[in-house]
Amino acid sequence: MAQVWKCAGLRWAAGGPVLEWDGGRRSALPRGKRVAFAVPQGGVRRCVGARGHVCPVRAAVPGRSTGARCEECARLDRAHSVAADTIADDPRPYRVYLAWFGPGMVKVGITAVERGPARLLEQGAVCFSWLGTGPLMAARRTEELLRAALRVPDRIPYAEKRAVRSALPGTEAERAAEVRELHARAVALAGWPESLRPEPCEVADHVEVFGLGAGPEAFGEVTGLVPGKGVRGELVAVAGPDLHLAVAGRGAVVLDTRLMTGWELLPPESVAVGCAFPVREFRREPDGLF
């Protein structure tokens, strides 16, 4: 068998997105790059373990899982996690943010100040603004305040984010409008924690960073990798964990790189043209009555 590689996930580095591989190798992801790989015949996706430790039983995990962990390793991974709200004594300062992914899709979240905008890039936020800075629990209380008072969610499913990326408003001002309006409503709320310092509304736009709108329209998303199949395409955009790959004759298909973790993958020479993995096409709203 040809040499196989195991993907360790996509990371947003200072110079842009990179794919990381077991053993410490990295592959930069500039636009225009050829992306091609296949899953070997008879391949089995294995649990990636938790917090730097291998899965003790090397459990098999489903091809459609974005977590790539067995039940026990998933539990261990979330046992000490800010995102899972399982720790309350982190002394680092945190920021509350408002992130916009498309019309009607604004969420509230928190991230450590030291991480800068990395969390927003990882989530595929088309634009965002900071809302406030303070201790972890003050940030958490502010997040809950917005959920309760303004009905702002703290999660938006990736499938919904992907489906609207090809139809985003054309200008930064249009894309920033909902964030600015919600920011004004949020800072006017009573009940803000005294230890959280409000931040001015300064909307950062990631359309050019991601490369959205520069290539062919995405028609669907890969639902999972399967043995004996592969993909070959030109990278036209990267948003969050998603690669937008232009494939022959169809436009672009979106591949969530989290679906790649846990698989052994063959090098590009082993792949046919196009996308042979199962794809779910995006639903399009009808233009009129018929």
Side-chain angles (χ1 to χ4, degrees):
M1 180 185 293
Q3 179 187 9
V4 294
W5 294 48
K6 289 192 72 173
C7 181
L10 185 149
R11 299 289 182 271
W12 280 88
V18 296
L19 275 178
E20 296 186 338
W21 306 91
D22 281 5
R25 294 185 181 182
R26 286 187 165 195
S27 299
L29 293 170
R31 288 196 286 278
K33 182 184 181 72
R34 184 189 65 168
V35 175
F37 65 86
V39 179
Q41 286 282 3
V44 177
R45 192 183 190 196
R46 300 291 180 184
C47 173
V48 296
R51 302 199 165 272
H53 301 286
V54 298
C55 176
V57 297
R58 297 190 71 247
V61 293
R64 291 173 178 259
S65 166
T66 55
R69 290 185 173 89
C70 67
E71 184 176 337
E72 181 62 18
C73 287
R75 184 188 66 79
L76 292 173
D77 189 64
R78 294 177 68 83
H80 189 75
S81 166
V82 170
D85 204 16
T86 55
I87 60 173
D89 57 353
D90 190 333
R92 296 176 298 171
Y94 276 78
R95 277 176 168 158
V96 186
Y97 62 79
L98 296 173
W100 185 88
F101 301 91
M105 296 182 186
V106 186
K107 62 156 280 187
V108 61
I110 69 172
T111 185
V113 169
E114 65 187 36
R115 297 207 67 210
R119 180 67 178 146
L120 287 306
L121 293 167
E122 291 166 357
Q123 293 183 63
V126 176
C127 62
F128 80 96
S129 175
W130 304 122
L131 184 61
T133 303
L136 172 59
M137 294 313 296
R140 279 287 186 216
R141 287 195 296 273
T142 306
E143 188 180 39
E144 179 57 35
L145 175 64
L146 266 66
R147 286 201 299 263
L150 301 179
R151 300 286 189 259
V152 184
D154 63 347
R155 284 180 174 82
I156 294 177
Y158 273 98
E160 295 181 17
K161 301 176 189 178
R162 295 179 186 121
V164 301
R165 284 189 194 137
S166 295
L168 297 173
T171 68
E172 289 191 19
E174 290 174 297
R175 295 190 291 269
E178 287 185 73
V179 173
R180 294 190 184 282
E181 187 270 338
L182 185 57
H183 190 286
R185 294 173 62 199
V187 296
L189 288 173
W192 269 55
E194 293 183 1
S195 56
L196 193 88
R197 183 182 76 251
E199 299 281 359
C201 185
E202 297 177 350
V203 181
D205 192 282
H206 288 153
V207 163
E208 290 189 8
V209 175
F210 293 155
L212 299 175
E217 181 177 348
F219 65 87
E221 60 184 333
V222 173
T223 58
L225 275 56
V226 292
K229 304 294 184 181
V231 65
R232 180 189 295 273
E234 178 186 343
L235 185 64
V236 294
V238 183
D242 297 339
L243 308 182
H244 289 230
L245 302 174
V247 294
R250 292 241 31 206
V253 66
V254 181
L255 171 62
D256 186 339
T257 53
R258 296 175 300 172
L259 295 172
M260 297 168 61
T261 58
W263 287 106
E264 291 186 334
L265 304 174
L266 292 170
E269 292 77 11
S270 307
V271 187
V273 174
C275 180
F277 295 129
V279 173
R280 177 170 54 235
E281 296 198 11
F282 297 133
R283 294 180 61 183
R284 303 300 184 192
E285 294 297 327
D287 294 328
L289 293 176
F290 304 100

